[in-house]
């Protein structure tokens, strides 16, 4: 198990260095392709031409929009006025209009800080940024939790070695 006190930059097995990235002007089709290319991320990271993180589009935002576009009668009672305005753009909706602020950490931040930021932003992954704000990669909540559940703890290893 990787302790939550581990700096993000040292969590080699939990740090993804190739995040799914879209440009601000990319449309809904590009967002769907991007998110589908890396289901672990559960989002698309929106970055400018220089690689600086601008925001994130979580997969749950896309799910609702696609459902309404493909099956307009389903779930219509769940649509807020904001979502209805977005749906008016249809497949031409852009990443910039859909994005929200991203949970983010630096390489020196601990995994515990990453979990805290994901919780604060209600997101399933946190962007990893360099000191200039450029996107380096991401860490995913599911993988952090899976690592804690699947990897034996030192006490469990000692117990397993006893005759």
């Amino acid at each position: 198990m990787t302790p939550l006190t581990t700096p993000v930059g040292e969590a080699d097995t939990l740090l993804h260095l190739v995040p799914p990235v879209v440009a601000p002007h990319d449309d809904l089709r590009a967002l769907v392709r991007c998110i589908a290319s890396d289901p672990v991320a559960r989002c698309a990271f929106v970055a400018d031409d220089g690689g600086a993180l601008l925001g994130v589009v979580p997969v749950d935002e896309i799910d609702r929009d696609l459902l309404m576009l493909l099956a307009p009668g389903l779930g219509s009672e769940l649509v807020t006025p904001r979502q209805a305005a977005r749906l008016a753009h249809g497949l031409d909706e852009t990443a910039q209009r859909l994005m929200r602020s991203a949970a983010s950490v630096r390489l020196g931040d601990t995994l515990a800080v990453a979990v805290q930021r994901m919780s604060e932003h209600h997101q399933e992954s946190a962007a990893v940024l360099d000191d200039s704000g450029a996107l380096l990669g991401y860490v995913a909540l599911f993988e952090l939790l899976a690592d804690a559940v699947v990897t034996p703890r030192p006490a469990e290893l000692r117990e397993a070695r006893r005759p």
Side-chain angles (χ1 to χ4, degrees):
M1 179 175 113
T2 307
L4 290 179
T5 56
T6 304
V8 171
E10 294 175 19
D12 297 340
T13 60
L14 300 172
L15 176 60
H16 296 267
L17 296 175
V18 184
V21 178
V22 293
H25 62 273
D26 284 345
D27 66 12
L28 193 58
R29 288 180 187 92
L31 278 165
V32 170
R33 280 192 299 274
C34 180
I35 290 171
S37 74
D38 186 351
V40 172
R42 304 286 298 153
C43 69
F45 298 96
V46 184
D48 66 15
D49 292 337
L53 182 67
L54 301 174
V56 65
V57 180
V59 72
D60 61 345
E61 293 282 322
I62 301 298
D63 286 345
R64 282 189 295 274
D65 288 355
L66 288 176
L67 179 61
M68 292 305 300
L69 285 170
L70 299 174
L74 294 176
S76 59
E77 68 280 354
L78 303 175
V79 177
T80 66
R82 179 175 179 252
Q83 289 167 325
R86 284 199 333 241
L87 289 169
H89 294 283
L91 293 173
D92 294 325
E93 184 63 276
T94 65
Q96 186 170 25
R97 288 194 299 250
L98 290 171
M99 74 180 181
R100 60 168 114 153
S101 70
S104 64
V105 292
R106 306 289 179 170
L107 289 170
D109 289 333
T110 64
L111 293 173
V113 170
V115 171
Q116 178 184 356
R117 301 261 169 83
M118 286 182 243
S119 175
E120 291 168 354
H121 285 80
H122 306 286
Q123 294 172 6
E124 298 178 41
S125 58
V128 179
L129 308 177
D130 69 11
D131 291 334
S132 70
L135 180 62
L136 299 174
Y138 72 92
V139 291
L141 181 61
F142 180 82
E143 289 185 316
L144 290 169
L145 297 173
D147 181 62
V149 170
V150 175
T151 307
R153 294 178 180 89
E156 292 170 344
L157 291 173
R158 285 193 297 275
E159 288 295 319
R161 289 187 212 148
R162 287 188 181 166

